[in-house]
Amino acid sequence: VGVASGTVVGVRRPLMEAAIYKLSRLRDLSEEDTVFVRQAAKVSDRFYPGADLCREGERPPARVIVSGWAARARVLPDGRRQIFAFLLPGDMIGVQPQPTITSAVTALTHVETADISLLRDAASALGPRSPLAEAFALAAEMEENLLLNHIVRLGRQTACQRLAHLLLELGERLAAVHEADECHFRLPLTQENLADALGLSLVHMNRTIQQLRHEQLLRLRCGQVTLLQMDRLHALADFSPRQLWRPTAAVTSEARSWEDRSPRRDPSFAASRPY
Amino acid sequence: VGVASGTVVGVRRPLMEAAIYKLSRLRDLSEEDTVFVRQAAKVSDRFYPGADLCREGERPPARVIVSGWAARARVLPDGRRQIFAFLLPGDMIGVQPQPTITSAVTALTHVETADISLLRDAASALGPRSPLAEAFALAAEMEENLLLNHIVRLGRQTACQRLAHLLLELGERLAAVHEADECHFRLPLTQENLADALGLSLVHMNRTIQQLRHEQLLRLRCGQVTLLQMDRLHALADFSPRQLWRPTAAVTSEARSWEDRSPRRDPSFAASRPY
DNA sequence: CGTGATCTTGATGCTCATCAAGGCTAGTGG
DNA sequence: CCACTAGCCTTGATGAGCATCAAGATCACG
């Protein structure tokens, strides 16, 4: 049978533990609410590594990941792959009212999921102002925020920064579901997985890891990561934890204040001249 | 006063036209529904280029863009910028139940918006199965899909491909709201805007444009784009229109079929050995 | 006519992809 | 037991893609 990832060896955590940790991190829940969530605690499916929780274009049933890691990804016609996001215990799929998924979700390790369609319906029955419904909405918001973070990584960061930023983010998320310290956790990913997420080649991913290792910022052994010198890592990656849980406090380094400036010219028309 | 972008010179389109085009592209609406939408046809705000429709961390009121272009973006501490998405007429912000926005929304041209908080409430009052509510949900889904497309551009495409892909996508979206042919439309963006979206430097953006020009794939003059040889552009950018409006039909070039293969070994544990 | 925004061009070097090869480990089958 | 294979990590060499610095051109505006 083997021990599912995300459980201490030999000790089985209550199934909905991760989901409850995550939801209450986003929004205070009453005792009743958590009981509500726990009702869904029945493993509905298990997936082998490489199996699809959901294929491109399918509408998946509402599920929460109980244990294991998965990835949202799209395969390009030339066979290369882009991973959009990693799904950790406590993360949900198919919860939105119209849960079309425009990317496949693939298990990276053994994955156990629980069906939460009843829970979702119950939550929406409680009304959009109920703590539980709000927690779901905040989870969706956080998920979008993760996509935006990923865009910034790919668009504006170097390979080292991307890796550091991603690992810090994963550490935060895992810590929230009590699967890790922020600076030491299990990382059941191959270097190829990381490369597919960070838009790098496998070879360069390897060299990037070695560089961070060499600079004493990282230890990566036996599928375990240890982040060293968190302050230097934060500085290198320009990572702030609040980027995950709250709307990013305006960074506004030298963002010009636009409001008071009614521009002489409308760029929309400036573009109307030949160049 | 000047002519707002998105209107034929001298002819003012009905305000909610774009929104109605877009929503009915996503989901068939009854005559009643469109009347419903039209009720919101009152310009609530105007923004100068550079003004923020919404700052990072704010919860914006529910709005639809009536005319003009805007951009979701985040400014990095070093002053560089990453644009996540362009917002066109018919696009909405703050419609989700929990509309926190984790990025600023900035007007790129003159922008007119209409308040649709009443419309949104009315739609949700009709129930999640009503066509109008479904159209809203599909719009949100499409928006996420645009983010995924953007991630693929940044992660796996070259500068030329990124530009071609983005322009094809914009053409599709504009055509849907009757603001363009797919191959000829107004593009009120500076090269810097494009660079900020595509994760390139301004200089390289310029050279990329010139390369596509030189290969007779593009004309870019007077803020107008003309896409030439659409077939070659589609092939270059690996763009399929269905990526926008429907969940991408499984591309599955040589995606191995995983299901039937129960792997000998669990990679999750493979990672547990030292390397 | 100066200023600022935008587009353009050249020169230089770093970052990263690609090709090629080799190593380690676990599992497989003779 | 020992080739043999497959998956993953590692390393070197080479060149393309892109960033950066610097400068100039054009146009709109005051």
Side-chain angles (χ1 to χ4, degrees):
Chain A
V1 168
V3 180
S5 102
T7 61
V8 180
V9 175
V11 179
R12 183 141 200 92
R13 276 168 46 169
L15 294 184
M16 299 301 282
E17 214 60 358
I20 289 174
Y21 285 135
K22 182 179 172 186
L23 290 172
S24 28
R25 180 86 158 82
L26 292 162
R27 175 74 165 81
D28 283 334
L29 297 181
S30 67
E31 193 57 40
E32 284 178 328
D33 286 326
T34 64
V35 170
F36 226 26
V37 173
R38 247 184 275 273
Q39 287 174 356
K42 185 153 164 294
V43 167
S44 65
D45 286 296
R46 293 164 195 271
F47 300 87
Y48 279 109
D52 285 345
L53 280 74
C54 167
R55 285 185 230 178
E56 261 181 276
E58 285 182 0
R59 307 214 161 225
R63 283 203 271 243
V64 65
I65 294 186
V66 168
S67 70
W69 287 40
R72 295 184 66 184
R74 207 181 274 171
V75 177
L76 311 191
D78 63 1
R80 290 181 307 165
R81 205 163 73 134
Q82 177 62 53
I83 291 180
F84 301 119
F86 293 110
L87 302 184
L88 314 180
D91 287 341
M92 300 170 289
I93 61 176
V95 181
Q96 295 301 355
Q98 292 294 116
T100 289
I101 282 223
T102 55
S103 59
V105 177
T106 304
L108 297 174
T109 67
H110 276 294
V111 168
E112 296 176 319
T113 64
D115 187 308
I116 52 170
S117 42
L118 293 179
L119 176 60
R120 175 198 54 190
D121 296 343
S124 71
L126 288 176
R129 290 275 159 267
S130 69
L132 201 50
E134 282 190 353
F136 276 122
L138 285 167
E141 184 188 312
M142 173 179 165
E143 200 178 306
E144 192 193 57
N145 201 16
L146 292 176
L147 287 183
L148 298 188
N149 283 348
H150 205 48
I151 289 178
V152 171
R153 281 192 288 261
L154 294 175
R156 291 299 185 204
Q157 297 199 294
T158 65
C160 278
Q161 291 179 305
R162 291 182 206 183
L163 178 57
H165 196 281
L166 177 64
L167 291 178
L168 289 169
E169 190 183 271
L170 289 172
E172 279 282 337
R173 292 171 63 194
L174 287 169
V177 295
H178 297 208
E179 295 242 347
D181 299 335
E182 275 157 33
C183 57
H184 179 73
F185 52 93
R186 203 146 173 287
L187 185 82
L189 302 178
T190 65
Q191 296 186 2
E192 189 172 13
N193 291 329
L194 287 170
D196 284 344
L198 297 179
L200 301 168
S201 69
L202 170 57
V203 172
H204 198 66
M205 188 69 252
N206 182 285
R207 291 194 227 271
T208 302
I209 290 172
Q210 313 228 18
Q211 186 176 341
L212 289 190
R213 268 205 273 248
H214 187 257
E215 294 187 24
Q216 308 286 339
L217 292 173
L218 199 63
R219 268 203 313 238
L220 187 50
R221 278 175 42 244
C222 311
Q224 303 265 337
V225 203
T226 308
L227 304 179
L228 312 168
Q229 310 188 59
M230 293 293 276
D231 46 347
R232 279 186 62 203
L233 279 171
H234 278 89
L236 167 66
D238 178 32
F239 179 87
S240 103
R242 287 166 304 143
Q243 281 178 14
L244 279 185
W245 305 104
R246 303 289 164 206
T248 27
V251 190
T252 56
S253 56
E254 44 246 51
R256 293 158 286 182
S257 124
W258 285 104
E259 257 61 26
D260 44 355
R261 197 200 82 145
S262 107
R264 297 184 265 218
R265 195 176 53 164
D266 175 358
S268 137
F269 296 108
S272 308
R273 58 184 176 71
Y275 50 80
Chain B
V1 169
V3 179
S5 101
T7 63
V8 180
V9 176
V11 178
R12 184 140 199 92
R13 277 169 45 167
L15 294 184
M16 299 302 281
E17 213 62 357
I20 289 174
Y21 283 136
K22 182 179 172 187
L23 290 173
S24 30
R25 182 85 159 79
L26 291 162
R27 175 74 165 82
D28 284 333
L29 296 181
S30 68
E31 193 57 40
E32 283 177 328
D33 286 326
T34 64
V35 170
F36 225 25
V37 174
R38 246 184 278 273
Q39 287 174 354
K42 185 148 163 297
V43 168
S44 65
D45 286 297
R46 293 165 195 270
F47 299 87
Y48 280 110
D52 284 346
L53 280 74
C54 168
R55 285 185 230 180
E56 261 182 275
E58 284 181 1
R59 308 212 161 225
R63 281 203 272 244
V64 65
I65 293 187
V66 167
S67 69
W69 287 40
R72 294 185 67 184
R74 206 181 277 170
V75 176
L76 311 191
D78 63 0
R80 291 181 309 164
R81 206 165 69 134
Q82 177 63 52
I83 291 181
F84 300 119
F86 293 111
L87 303 184
L88 315 180
D91 287 340
M92 300 169 289
I93 60 176
V95 180
Q96 296 300 354
Q98 291 295 115
T100 289
I101 282 224
T102 54
S103 60
V105 177
T106 305
L108 298 174
T109 67
H110 277 294
V111 168
E112 296 176 320
T113 64
D115 188 307
I116 52 168
S117 43
L118 293 179
L119 176 60
R120 176 198 54 188
D121 296 342
S124 71
L126 289 175
R129 290 274 161 266
S130 70
L132 202 51
E134 283 190 354
F136 276 121
L138 286 167
E141 184 188 314
M142 173 179 164
E143 199 178 306
E144 191 193 58
N145 201 17
L146 292 176
L147 287 183
L148 299 189
N149 283 348
H150 205 49
I151 289 178
V152 172
R153 280 192 289 262
L154 295 175
R156 290 301 185 201
Q157 298 198 293
T158 65
C160 278
Q161 292 179 305
R162 290 182 207 183
L163 178 59
H165 195 281
L166 178 64
L167 291 177
L168 288 168
E169 189 183 273
L170 288 172
E172 280 282 336
R173 292 171 64 193
L174 287 169
V177 294
H178 298 208
E179 295 242 347
D181 300 334
E182 274 157 33
C183 57
H184 178 74
F185 52 92
R186 204 146 171 285
L187 186 81
L189 301 178
T190 66
Q191 296 187 0
E192 189 173 13
N193 293 149
L194 287 171
D196 284 344
L198 297 180
L200 300 169
S201 69
L202 171 56
V203 173
H204 199 66
M205 188 71 252
N206 183 288
R207 291 193 227 271
T208 302
I209 291 172
Q210 315 228 18
Q211 185 176 343
L212 289 189
R213 268 206 272 250
H214 188 257
E215 295 187 25
Q216 307 287 339
L217 292 173
L218 199 63
R219 268 201 315 235
L220 188 49
R221 278 175 42 242
C222 309
Q224 303 265 338
V225 203
T226 308
L227 305 179
L228 311 168
Q229 310 187 60
M230 292 292 274
D231 46 347
R232 279 187 61 204
L233 279 171
H234 277 88
L236 168 66
D238 179 32
F239 179 87
S240 105
R242 288 165 305 142
Q243 283 179 12
L244 278 186
W245 304 104
R246 303 288 163 207
T248 28
V251 191
T252 55
S253 56
E254 44 245 53
R256 292 158 288 179
S257 123
W258 284 104
E259 257 63 24
D260 46 356
R261 197 199 82 146
S262 104
R264 297 184 267 221
R265 196 176 52 167
D266 174 357
S268 137
F269 295 110
S272 307
R273 61 186 172 69
Y275 51 81

